[in-house]
């Protein structure tokens, strides 16, 4: 079974969930840049990716998380793709981020992700987002406060180093 795990972990990058992560990171990046049109495009792509994601090949733990959070991720992406108003997109990015994090905590992923927090976002209640780097690039404030926030957690890549 160890040999199987090693083979499986080599195969991580081609897993369909990586496409979902990639689309999410594009949304995060373009919210940081304040580009609502690009955010819409990637939200549409994310929505298609999460809707098209099949549970075949997922572990029991992954399937459970996928079943639990898929709909919430899809709903948030739906709202984001319906507008190019960056402020509205950012409101829905809060739940998108929280649910992506909750789902991906149970997944074996190829990309290390950092769960970051801005205490001022969401009308002072604070809000989280996932990032592929520990460097803070705040998607809730963009150029206004680009580095407001800190890393609260990380989801470590399960990729075996060659």
């Amino acid at each position: 079974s160890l040999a199987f795990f090693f083979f499986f972990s080599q195969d991580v990058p081609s897993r369909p969930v990586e496409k979902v992560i990639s689309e999410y990171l594009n949304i995060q990046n373009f919210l940081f840049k304040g580009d609502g049109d690009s955010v819409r495009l990637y939200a549409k792509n994310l929505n298609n990716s999460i809707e098209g994601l099949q549970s075949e090949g997922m572990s029991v733990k992954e399937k459970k998380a996928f079943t639990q959070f898929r709909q919430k991720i899809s709903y948030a992406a739906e709202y984001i793709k319906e507008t190019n108003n960056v402020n509205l997109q950012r409101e829905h990015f809060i739940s998108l981020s929280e649910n992506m994090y909750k789902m991906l905590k149970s997944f074996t992923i190829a990309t290390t992700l950092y769960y970051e927090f801005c205490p001022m976002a969401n009308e002072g209640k604070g809000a989280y987002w996932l990032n592929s780097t520990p460097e803070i690039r705040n998607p809730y404030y963009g150029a206004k406060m680009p580095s407001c926030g800190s890393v609260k957690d990380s989801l470590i890549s399960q990729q075996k180093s060659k």
Side-chain angles (χ1 to χ4, degrees), residues 6 14 23 25 38 51 65 73 90 94 113 130 132 138 142 161:
F6 182 74
S14 63
E23 303 297 359
L25 291 172
S38 295
E51 287 296 320
I73 291 166
R90 285 172 172 152
I94 296 169
L113 296 172
L130 288 164
S132 56
N138 190 316
S161 52

Side-chain angles (χ1 to χ4, degrees), residues 75-144:
Y75 281 147
E78 280 280 341
Y79 281 112
I80 293 168
K81 78 182 179 76
E82 292 305 317
T83 181
N84 60 3
N85 178 319
V86 175
N87 291 326
L88 290 175
Q89 290 173 331
R90 285 172 172 152
E91 282 177 32
H92 294 289
F93 188 67
I94 296 169
S95 75
L96 176 64
S97 296
E98 288 176 2
N99 288 301
M100 282 283 292
Y101 171 73
K102 287 174 185 170
M103 182 180 87
L104 292 173
K105 272 200 314 192
S106 298
F107 272 73
T108 299
I109 57 175
T111 316
T112 293
L113 296 172
Y114 299 88
Y115 197 46
E116 300 173 344
F117 180 74
C118 168
M120 296 175 67
N122 193 17
E123 298 170 350
K125 295 193 274 293
Y128 291 89
W129 71 96
L130 288 164
N131 197 352
S132 56
T133 163
E135 178 195 348
I136 303 296
R137 297 177 78 229
N138 190 316
Y140 298 108
Y141 285 105
K144 273 195 261 177

Side-chain angles (χ1 to χ4, degrees), residues 42-58:
Y42 290 111
K44 183 178 181 217
N45 292 351
L46 173 71
N47 194 53
N48 291 340
S49 296
I50 196 83
E51 287 296 320
L53 199 58
Q54 301 297 316
S55 60
E56 286 89 76
M58 288 184 190

Side-chain angles (χ1 to χ4, degrees), residues 10-43:
Q10 289 297 310
D11 205 34
V12 170
S14 63
R15 297 188 72 206
V17 73
E18 295 299 326
K19 178 99 174 96
V20 174
I21 294 169
S22 171
E23 303 297 359
Y24 170 89
L25 291 172
N26 281 320
I27 293 169
Q28 185 264 325
N29 184 42
F30 284 105
L31 281 175
F32 173 74
K33 291 178 178 176
D35 179 349
D37 291 327
S38 295
V39 170
R40 272 186 90 168
L41 171 71
Y42 290 111

